[in-house]
Amino acid sequence: MDAFDYKILQHLKIDSRIPLHRISEKVGLSISSIGRRIHSMEKKNIIEGYTLRINEKKLGFNFPVFVFVRLEKQRATNFSDFENEIKRFSEVVECWLMTGSQDYLLKIITKDVTEFERFLTLKLTTIE
């Protein structure tokens, strides 16, 4: 990795669909060199994939909530079981393992407080 690679990554982080010729103009390398460098970073798993951001509000999800979760017992199987269960819920858009007094931080999106309460009581709190 050199300074050019880091500049390429900066542009891809802002817009992963940016055309190679735009990166070339901004970084000062040829289009073919940009393509080779990106391909090399993909092969080395420096670039693990591409993603997109969704405007949750445009889809009607106007009530984002952050929830801390603490497990009763901090054993590997408990963590694994919880993570497998939480994957089933489309309302959970992010799940972060934490240190300290809480075990997880969840980002949950729902349409309103009523839908969040329903999620909390009928789904989240049913996980052992």
Side-chain angles (χ1 to χ4, degrees), residues 4 7-8 11 18-35 38:
F4 288 115
K7 287 179 184 176
I8 292 167
H11 292 291
I18 185 172
L20 295 182
H21 74 275
R22 288 262 166 76
I23 299 174
S24 171
E25 293 166 0
K26 294 173 184 275
V27 173
L29 292 174
S30 70
I31 296 170
S32 59
S33 178
I34 298 292
I38 291 172

Side-chain angles (χ1 to χ4, degrees), residues 63-116:
F63 197 75
V65 180
F66 290 90
V67 175
F68 283 112
V69 174
R70 183 175 33 179
L71 302 181
E72 243 179 76
K73 296 178 182 172
Q74 287 75 25
R75 293 189 315 232
T77 56
N78 293 49
F79 289 114
S80 177
D81 291 346
F82 177 79
E83 290 170 14
N84 287 331
E85 286 292 315
I86 210 70
K87 288 177 186 175
R88 297 184 310 118
F89 305 134
S90 62
E91 296 89 346
V92 178
V93 294
E94 293 182 31
C95 177
W96 294 91
L97 181 63
M98 307 289 290
T99 61
S101 62
Q102 305 298 323
D103 296 315
Y104 290 95
L105 173 64
L106 306 178
K107 180 180 179 188
I108 298 163
I109 57 166
T110 59
K111 294 183 187 225
D112 54 35
V113 69
T114 304
E115 191 175 291
F116 170 69

